[in-house]
Coordinates of all heavy atoms in Angstrom, one line a residue:
M235 N 0.8 -1.2 0.0 CA 0.0 0.0 0.0 C 0.9 1.2 0.0 O 1.9 1.3 0.7 CB -0.9 0.0 1.2 CG -1.8 1.2 1.2 SD -2.9 1.3 2.7 CE -4.0 0.0 2.5
D236 N 0.5 2.2 -0.8 CA 1.3 3.5 -0.9 C 1.0 4.4 0.3 O -0.1 4.4 0.8 CB 0.9 4.2 -2.2 CG 1.4 3.5 -3.4 OD1 2.4 2.8 -3.3 OD2 0.7 3.6 -4.4
S237 N 2.0 5.1 0.7 CA 1.8 6.0 1.8 C 1.2 7.3 1.3 O 1.2 7.6 0.0 CB 3.1 6.3 2.5 OG 4.0 7.1 1.6
L238 N 0.6 8.1 2.1 CA 0.0 9.3 1.7 C 1.0 10.3 1.1 O 0.7 11.0 0.1 CB -0.7 10.0 2.9 CG -1.5 11.3 2.7 CD1 -2.6 11.0 1.6 CD2 -2.1 11.8 4.0
Q239 N 2.2 10.3 1.6 CA 3.2 11.1 1.1 C 3.6 10.8 -0.3 O 3.8 11.7 -1.2 CB 4.5 11.1 2.0 CG 5.6 12.0 1.5 CD 6.8 11.9 2.4 OE1 6.8 11.2 3.4 NE2 7.8 12.7 2.1
S240 N 3.7 9.5 -0.6 CA 4.1 9.1 -2.0 C 3.0 9.4 -3.0 O 3.2 9.8 -4.1 CB 4.5 7.6 -2.0 OG 3.3 6.8 -1.7
I241 N 1.7 9.3 -2.5 CA 0.6 9.6 -3.4 C 0.6 11.1 -3.7 O 0.4 11.5 -4.9 CB -0.7 9.2 -2.8 CG1 -0.8 7.6 -2.7 CG2 -1.9 9.7 -3.6 CD1 -1.9 7.1 -1.9
L242 N 0.7 11.9 -2.7 CA 0.7 13.4 -2.9 C 1.9 13.9 -3.6 O 1.8 14.9 -4.3 CB 0.5 14.1 -1.5 CG -0.8 13.9 -0.9 CD1 -0.8 14.6 0.5 CD2 -2.0 14.4 -1.7
S243 N 3.0 13.2 -3.5 CA 4.2 13.7 -4.2 C 4.1 13.5 -5.7 O 4.8 14.2 -6.5 CB 5.5 13.0 -3.6 OG 5.5 11.7 -3.9
N244 N 3.3 12.6 -6.1 CA 3.1 12.3 -7.5 C 2.0 13.1 -8.2 O 1.7 12.9 -9.4 CB 2.9 10.8 -7.8 CG 4.1 10.0 -7.4 OD1 5.2 10.4 -7.5 ND2 3.9 8.7 -6.9
K245 N 1.3 13.8 -7.4 CA 0.1 14.6 -7.9 C 0.6 15.8 -8.7 O 1.5 16.5 -8.3 CB -0.8 15.1 -6.7 CG -1.9 15.9 -7.1 CD -3.2 15.3 -6.6 CE -4.4 16.2 -6.8 NZ -4.9 16.0 -8.2
D246 N -0.1 16.1 -9.8 CA 0.1 17.2 -10.6 C -0.7 18.4 -10.1 O -1.9 18.4 -10.2 CB -0.2 16.9 -12.1 CG 0.1 18.0 -13.0 OD1 1.0 18.9 -12.7 OD2 -0.4 18.0 -14.1
Y247 N -0.1 19.4 -9.6 CA -0.8 20.6 -9.1 C -0.9 21.8 -10.1 O -1.3 22.8 -9.7 CB -0.2 21.1 -7.8 CG -0.3 20.1 -6.6 CD1 0.7 19.3 -6.2 CD2 -1.6 20.0 -6.0 CE1 0.5 18.4 -5.2 CE2 -1.7 19.1 -5.0 CZ -0.7 18.3 -4.6 OH -0.9 17.4 -3.5
D248 N -0.6 21.6 -11.3 CA -0.6 22.6 -12.3 C -2.1 23.0 -12.6 O -2.9 22.1 -12.7 CB 0.1 22.3 -13.6 CG 1.6 22.2 -13.3 OD1 2.1 22.8 -12.4 OD2 2.3 21.5 -14.1
E249 N -2.4 24.2 -12.9 CA -3.7 24.6 -13.3 C -3.9 24.2 -14.7 O -3.0 24.2 -15.5 CB -3.8 26.2 -13.2 CG -3.8 26.7 -11.8 CD -4.0 28.2 -11.8 OE1 -3.7 28.9 -12.8 OE2 -4.5 28.7 -10.8
P250 N -5.2 23.9 -15.1 CA -5.5 23.7 -16.5 C -5.2 24.9 -17.3 O -5.3 26.0 -16.8 CB -7.0 23.4 -16.4 CG -7.3 22.9 -15.0 CD -6.3 23.7 -14.2
P251 N -4.9 24.7 -18.6 CA -4.6 25.9 -19.4 C -5.7 26.9 -19.5 O -5.5 28.1 -19.7 CB -4.2 25.3 -20.8 CG -4.8 23.9 -20.7 CD -4.8 23.5 -19.3
E252 N -7.0 26.5 -19.4 CA -8.1 27.4 -19.5 C -8.1 28.4 -18.4 O -8.3 29.6 -18.6 CB -9.4 26.7 -19.5 CG -9.7 25.7 -20.6 CD -9.4 24.3 -20.3 OE1 -8.6 24.1 -19.3 OE2 -9.8 23.4 -21.0
I253 N -7.8 27.9 -17.2 CA -7.7 28.8 -16.0 C -6.6 29.8 -16.1 O -6.8 31.0 -15.9 CB -7.5 27.9 -14.7 CG1 -8.8 27.1 -14.4 CG2 -7.2 28.8 -13.5 CD1 -8.7 26.2 -13.3
T254 N -5.4 29.3 -16.5 CA -4.3 30.2 -16.7 C -4.5 31.3 -17.7 O -4.3 32.5 -17.5 CB -3.0 29.4 -17.0 OG1 -2.9 28.4 -16.1 CG2 -1.8 30.3 -17.1
S255 N -5.1 30.9 -18.8 CA -5.3 31.9 -19.9 C -6.4 33.0 -19.5 O -6.2 34.1 -19.8 CB -5.7 31.2 -21.2 OG -6.9 30.5 -21.1
I256 N -7.4 32.6 -18.8 CA -8.5 33.5 -18.4 C -7.9 34.5 -17.4 O -8.1 35.7 -17.4 CB -9.7 32.8 -17.9 CG1 -10.4 32.0 -19.0 CG2 -10.7 33.7 -17.2 CD1 -11.5 31.1 -18.5
K257 N -7.2 33.9 -16.4 CA -6.6 34.8 -15.4 C -5.6 35.8 -16.0 O -5.6 37.0 -15.6 CB -5.9 33.9 -14.3 CG -6.8 33.2 -13.3 CD -6.0 32.5 -12.3 CE -6.9 31.8 -11.3 NZ -6.2 31.1 -10.2
K258 N -4.8 35.4 -16.9 CA -3.9 36.3 -17.6 C -4.6 37.3 -18.4 O -4.2 38.5 -18.4 CB -2.9 35.5 -18.5 CG -1.8 34.7 -17.8 CD -0.9 34.1 -18.7 CE 0.2 33.3 -18.0 NZ 1.0 32.5 -19.0
Y259 N -5.7 37.0 -19.1 CA -6.4 37.9 -19.9 C -7.0 39.0 -19.0 O -6.9 40.2 -19.3 CB -7.6 37.2 -20.6 CG -8.5 38.1 -21.3 CD1 -8.2 38.5 -22.6 CD2 -9.7 38.6 -20.8 CE1 -9.0 39.4 -23.3 CE2 -10.5 39.4 -21.4 CZ -10.2 39.8 -22.7 OH -11.0 40.7 -23.4
V260 N -7.7 38.6 -17.9 CA -8.3 39.6 -17.0 C -7.3 40.5 -16.3 O -7.5 41.7 -16.2 CB -9.3 38.9 -16.0 CG1 -9.9 39.9 -15.0 CG2 -10.4 38.2 -16.7
L261 N -6.2 39.9 -15.9 CA -5.2 40.7 -15.2 C -4.5 41.7 -16.2 O -4.3 42.8 -15.8 CB -4.1 39.7 -14.7 CG -3.0 40.4 -13.8 CD1 -3.7 41.0 -12.5 CD2 -2.0 39.4 -13.4
A262 N -4.3 41.3 -17.4 CA -3.7 42.2 -18.4 C -4.6 43.3 -18.8 O -4.2 44.4 -19.0 CB -3.3 41.4 -19.7
E263 N -5.9 43.0 -19.0 CA -6.9 44.0 -19.5 C -7.4 44.9 -18.4 O -7.6 46.1 -18.6 CB -8.1 43.3 -20.1 CG -7.7 42.5 -21.4 CD -7.4 43.5 -22.6 OE1 -8.1 44.5 -22.7 OE2 -6.5 43.1 -23.3
F264 N -7.6 44.4 -17.2 CA -8.3 45.1 -16.1 C -7.4 45.3 -14.8 O -7.8 46.0 -13.9 CB -9.6 44.5 -15.8 CG -10.5 44.4 -16.9 CD1 -10.7 43.2 -17.6 CD2 -11.2 45.5 -17.4 CE1 -11.5 43.1 -18.7 CE2 -12.0 45.4 -18.5 CZ -12.2 44.2 -19.2
G265 N -6.4 44.5 -14.7 CA -5.5 44.6 -13.5 C -6.2 44.0 -12.3 O -5.9 44.5 -11.1
V266 N -7.1 43.0 -12.5 CA -7.8 42.4 -11.4 C -7.6 40.9 -11.3 O -7.6 40.3 -12.4 CB -9.3 42.7 -11.5 CG1 -10.1 42.0 -10.4 CG2 -9.6 44.2 -11.5
V267 N -7.4 40.4 -10.2 CA -7.2 38.9 -10.0 C -8.6 38.3 -9.8 O -9.4 38.8 -9.0 CB -6.3 38.6 -8.8 CG1 -6.2 37.1 -8.6 CG2 -5.0 39.2 -9.0
V268 N -8.9 37.3 -10.6 CA -10.2 36.6 -10.6 C -10.1 35.2 -10.2 O -9.0 34.6 -10.4 CB -11.0 36.8 -11.9 CG1 -11.3 38.2 -12.2 CG2 -10.2 36.2 -13.0
G269 N -11.1 34.6 -9.7 CA -11.2 33.1 -9.5 C -11.8 32.4 -10.7 O -12.8 32.9 -11.2
V270 N -11.3 31.3 -11.0 CA -11.8 30.5 -12.2 C -12.0 29.1 -11.8 O -11.1 28.5 -11.2 CB -10.8 30.6 -13.4 CG1 -11.4 29.9 -14.6 CG2 -10.6 32.1 -13.8
Q271 N -13.1 28.6 -12.1 CA -13.4 27.1 -11.9 C -13.9 26.5 -13.1 O -14.8 27.0 -13.8 CB -14.5 27.0 -10.8 CG -14.9 25.6 -10.5 CD -16.0 25.6 -9.4 OE1 -16.6 26.6 -9.1 NE2 -16.3 24.4 -9.0
V272 N -13.3 25.4 -13.5 CA -13.7 24.7 -14.7 C -14.5 23.5 -14.4 O -14.2 22.7 -13.5 CB -12.4 24.2 -15.5 CG1 -12.8 23.4 -16.8 CG2 -11.5 25.4 -15.9
R273 N -15.7 23.5 -15.0 CA -16.6 22.4 -14.7 C -16.8 21.6 -16.1 O -16.2 22.0 -17.1 CB -18.0 22.9 -14.2 CG -17.8 23.5 -12.8 CD -19.0 23.8 -12.1 NE -20.1 24.4 -12.9 CZ -21.2 24.8 -12.4 NH1 -21.5 24.6 -11.1 NH2 -22.1 25.4 -13.1
E274 N -17.7 20.6 -16.0 CA -17.9 19.8 -17.2 C -18.4 20.6 -18.4 O -17.9 20.4 -19.5 CB -18.8 18.6 -16.9 CG -19.0 17.6 -18.0 CD -19.9 16.5 -17.6 OE1 -20.0 16.1 -16.4 OE2 -20.6 16.0 -18.5
R275 N -19.4 21.4 -18.2 CA -20.0 22.1 -19.3 C -19.7 23.6 -19.4 O -20.0 24.2 -20.4 CB -21.5 21.9 -19.3 CG -21.9 20.5 -19.5 CD -23.4 20.4 -19.6 NE -23.7 19.0 -19.8 CZ -24.8 18.4 -19.4 NH1 -25.7 19.0 -18.6 NH2 -25.0 17.1 -19.7
D276 N -19.2 24.2 -18.3 CA -19.0 25.6 -18.3 C -17.8 26.0 -17.5 O -17.2 25.2 -16.8 CB -20.2 26.4 -17.8 CG -20.6 26.0 -16.4 OD1 -20.1 25.1 -15.8 OD2 -21.4 26.8 -15.8
I277 N -17.5 27.3 -17.5 CA -16.3 27.8 -16.8 C -16.9 29.0 -15.9 O -17.6 29.9 -16.5 CB -15.2 28.3 -17.7 CG1 -14.6 27.2 -18.5 CG2 -14.1 29.0 -16.9 CD1 -13.7 27.6 -19.6
I278 N -16.7 28.9 -14.6 CA -17.2 30.0 -13.8 C -16.0 30.9 -13.5 O -15.0 30.5 -13.1 CB -17.7 29.4 -12.4 CG1 -18.9 28.5 -12.7 CG2 -18.1 30.5 -11.5 CD1 -19.4 27.7 -11.5
I279 N -16.3 32.2 -13.7 CA -15.3 33.3 -13.4 C -15.9 34.1 -12.3 O -16.9 34.7 -12.4 CB -15.1 34.1 -14.7 CG1 -14.6 33.3 -15.8 CG2 -14.1 35.2 -14.3 CD1 -14.5 34.0 -17.1
A280 N -15.2 34.1 -11.1 CA -15.7 34.8 -9.9 C -14.9 36.2 -9.9 O -13.7 36.2 -9.9 CB -15.4 34.1 -8.7
V281 N -15.7 37.3 -9.9 CA -15.2 38.6 -10.0 C -15.6 39.4 -8.8 O -16.6 39.1 -8.2 CB -15.6 39.3 -11.3 CG1 -15.1 38.6 -12.5 CG2 -17.1 39.4 -11.4
P282 N -14.9 40.5 -8.4 CA -15.2 41.2 -7.2 C -16.3 42.3 -7.4 O -16.8 42.7 -6.4 CB -13.9 41.9 -6.9 CG -13.2 42.0 -8.2 CD -13.6 40.8 -9.0
S283 N -16.7 42.6 -8.6 CA -17.7 43.6 -8.7 C -18.7 43.3 -9.9 O -18.3 42.6 -10.8 CB -17.1 45.0 -9.0 OG -16.5 45.1 -10.3
A284 N -19.9 43.9 -9.8 CA -20.9 43.7 -10.8 C -20.5 44.4 -12.1 O -20.8 43.9 -13.2 CB -22.2 44.2 -10.4
A285 N -19.8 45.5 -12.0 CA -19.4 46.3 -13.2 C -18.4 45.4 -14.0 O -18.5 45.4 -15.2 CB -18.7 47.6 -12.8
L286 N -17.5 44.8 -13.3 CA -16.5 44.0 -14.0 C -17.2 42.7 -14.6 O -16.9 42.3 -15.7 CB -15.4 43.5 -13.1 CG -14.3 42.6 -13.7 CD1 -13.6 43.3 -14.9 CD2 -13.2 42.3 -12.6
A287 N -18.1 42.1 -13.9 CA -18.8 41.0 -14.4 C -19.6 41.3 -15.7 O -19.6 40.6 -16.7 CB -19.8 40.5 -13.4
N288 N -20.2 42.5 -15.7 CA -20.9 42.9 -16.9 C -20.0 43.2 -18.1 O -20.3 42.8 -19.2 CB -21.8 44.2 -16.6 CG -22.7 44.5 -17.8 OD1 -23.3 43.6 -18.4 ND2 -22.8 45.8 -18.1
T289 N -18.9 43.8 -17.8 CA -17.9 44.1 -18.9 C -17.3 42.8 -19.4 O -17.2 42.7 -20.7 CB -16.7 45.0 -18.3 OG1 -17.3 46.2 -17.8 CG2 -15.7 45.3 -19.4
L290 N -17.0 41.9 -18.6 CA -16.5 40.6 -19.1 C -17.6 39.8 -19.8 O -17.3 39.1 -20.8 CB -16.0 39.7 -17.9 CG -14.7 40.2 -17.2 CD1 -14.4 39.4 -16.0 CD2 -13.6 40.3 -18.2
R291 N -18.8 39.9 -19.4 CA -19.9 39.3 -20.1 C -20.0 39.8 -21.5 O -20.2 39.0 -22.5 CB -21.2 39.5 -19.3 CG -22.4 38.7 -19.9 CD -23.6 38.8 -19.0 NE -23.4 38.2 -17.7 CZ -23.5 38.8 -16.6 NH1 -23.7 40.1 -16.6 NH2 -23.3 38.2 -15.4
L292 N -19.9 41.1 -21.7 CA -19.9 41.7 -23.0 C -18.7 41.3 -23.8 O -18.8 41.2 -25.1 CB -20.0 43.2 -22.9 CG -21.3 43.8 -22.3 CD1 -21.2 45.3 -22.1 CD2 -22.5 43.4 -23.2
R293 N -17.6 41.0 -23.2 CA -16.4 40.6 -23.9 C -16.3 39.1 -24.0 O -15.3 38.6 -24.4 CB -15.2 41.1 -23.2 CG -15.0 42.6 -23.4 CD -13.7 43.0 -22.8 NE -13.4 44.4 -22.9 CZ -12.3 45.0 -22.8 NH1 -11.2 44.3 -22.6 NH2 -12.1 46.3 -22.9
G294 N -17.4 38.4 -23.7 CA -17.4 36.9 -23.7 C -16.9 36.3 -25.0 O -16.0 35.4 -25.0
P295 N -17.4 36.7 -26.2 CA -16.9 36.1 -27.4 C -15.4 36.4 -27.6 O -14.7 35.5 -28.1 CB -17.7 36.8 -28.5 CG -19.0 37.3 -27.8 CD -18.5 37.6 -26.4
D296 N -14.9 37.6 -27.2 CA -13.5 37.8 -27.4 C -12.6 37.0 -26.4 O -11.6 36.5 -26.8 CB -13.2 39.3 -27.1 CG -11.8 39.7 -27.3 OD1 -11.2 39.3 -28.3 OD2 -11.2 40.4 -26.4
I297 N -13.1 36.8 -25.2 CA -12.4 35.9 -24.2 C -12.4 34.5 -24.8 O -11.3 33.9 -24.7 CB -13.1 36.0 -22.9 CG1 -13.0 37.4 -22.2 CG2 -12.5 34.9 -21.9 CD1 -13.9 37.5 -21.0
K298 N -13.5 34.0 -25.3 CA -13.5 32.6 -25.8 C -12.5 32.5 -27.0 O -11.8 31.5 -27.1 CB -14.9 32.3 -26.3 CG -15.8 31.9 -25.2 CD -17.2 31.5 -25.8 CE -18.1 30.9 -24.7 NZ -19.3 30.5 -25.3
R299 N -12.5 33.5 -27.8 CA -11.6 33.4 -29.0 C -10.1 33.5 -28.6 O -9.3 32.7 -29.0 CB -11.9 34.5 -30.0 CG -11.1 34.5 -31.3 CD -11.5 35.6 -32.2 NE -11.7 36.9 -31.6 CZ -10.7 37.7 -31.3 NH1 -9.5 37.4 -31.5 NH2 -11.0 38.9 -30.8
R300 N -9.8 34.5 -27.8 CA -8.4 34.7 -27.4 C -7.9 33.6 -26.5 O -6.7 33.3 -26.5 CB -8.2 36.1 -26.8 CG -8.3 37.2 -27.8 CD -8.2 38.5 -27.2 NE -7.0 38.7 -26.5 CZ -6.7 39.9 -25.9 NH1 -7.5 40.9 -25.9 NH2 -5.5 40.0 -25.2
C301 N -8.7 33.0 -25.6 CA -8.3 32.0 -24.7 C -8.5 30.6 -25.3 O -8.3 29.6 -24.6 CB -9.0 32.2 -23.4 SG -8.5 33.7 -22.5
Q302 N -9.1 30.5 -26.5 CA -9.4 29.2 -27.1 C -10.3 28.3 -26.3 O -9.9 27.2 -25.9 CB -8.1 28.5 -27.5 CG -7.2 29.3 -28.5 CD -5.9 28.7 -28.7 OE1 -5.5 27.7 -28.1 NE2 -5.2 29.3 -29.6
L303 N -11.4 28.8 -25.9 CA -12.4 28.1 -25.1 C -13.6 27.6 -25.9 O -14.0 28.3 -26.8 CB -12.9 29.0 -23.9 CG -11.8 29.7 -23.1 CD1 -12.5 30.7 -22.1 CD2 -11.0 28.6 -22.3
D304 N -14.1 26.5 -25.5 CA -15.3 26.0 -26.2 C -16.5 25.8 -25.2 O -17.6 25.5 -25.6 CB -15.1 24.7 -26.9 CG -14.5 23.6 -26.0 OD1 -14.2 23.9 -24.9 OD2 -14.4 22.5 -26.5
K305 N -16.3 26.1 -23.9 CA -17.3 25.9 -22.9 C -18.0 27.3 -22.7 O -17.5 28.3 -23.0 CB -16.7 25.4 -21.6 CG -16.1 24.1 -21.7 CD -15.5 23.6 -20.4 CE -14.9 22.2 -20.5 NZ -14.4 21.7 -19.2
R306 N -19.2 27.2 -22.1 CA -20.0 28.4 -21.8 C -19.3 29.1 -20.6 O -18.9 28.5 -19.6 CB -21.4 27.9 -21.4 CG -22.4 29.1 -21.2 CD -23.7 28.5 -21.0 NE -23.8 28.1 -19.6 CZ -24.7 28.7 -18.7 NH1 -25.5 29.5 -19.1 NH2 -24.7 28.3 -17.4
L307 N -19.3 30.4 -20.6 CA -18.8 31.2 -19.5 C -19.9 31.7 -18.6 O -20.9 32.2 -19.1 CB -18.1 32.5 -20.1 CG -16.8 32.2 -20.9 CD1 -16.3 33.5 -21.4 CD2 -15.8 31.4 -20.2
T308 N -19.7 31.5 -17.3 CA -20.6 32.0 -16.3 C -19.9 32.9 -15.4 O -18.7 32.6 -15.0 CB -21.2 30.8 -15.5 OG1 -21.8 29.8 -16.4 CG2 -22.2 31.2 -14.5
F309 N -20.5 34.0 -15.0 CA -19.8 35.0 -14.2 C -20.5 35.1 -12.8 O -21.7 35.1 -12.7 CB -19.9 36.4 -14.9 CG -19.2 36.4 -16.2 CD1 -19.8 36.2 -17.4 CD2 -17.8 36.5 -16.2 CE1 -19.2 36.1 -18.6 CE2 -17.1 36.5 -17.4 CZ -17.8 36.3 -18.6
R310 N -19.7 35.1 -11.8 CA -20.2 35.1 -10.4 C -19.6 36.3 -9.7 O -18.4 36.5 -9.8 CB -19.8 33.8 -9.7 CG -20.3 33.8 -8.2 CD -20.0 32.4 -7.6 NE -20.8 31.4 -8.3 CZ -20.5 30.1 -8.3 NH1 -19.4 29.7 -7.7 NH2 -21.2 29.3 -8.9
I311 N -20.4 37.1 -9.0 CA -20.0 38.2 -8.3 C -19.8 37.8 -6.8 O -20.6 37.3 -6.2 CB -21.0 39.4 -8.4 CG1 -21.3 39.7 -9.8 CG2 -20.5 40.6 -7.6 CD1 -22.5 40.5 -10.0
G312 N -18.6 38.2 -6.3 CA -18.4 37.9 -4.9 C -17.0 37.6 -4.5 O -16.0 37.4 -4.7

């Protein structure tokens, strides 16, 4: 049986490329750090303000194109 340490040492902790590209896009365009969660059918982007959520919602097609996404984008304020 493997020890917990050996199991965790072999785990890959890198973020999926979708998360990295969305975070870089928002940081470069708006200077804000956002939270990103990838699910089976969509990607949730957690933003600190309603104004930013609305702006990102309007830029949704551009975000999908530049970050090469095929999932639906969902914006969460909080």
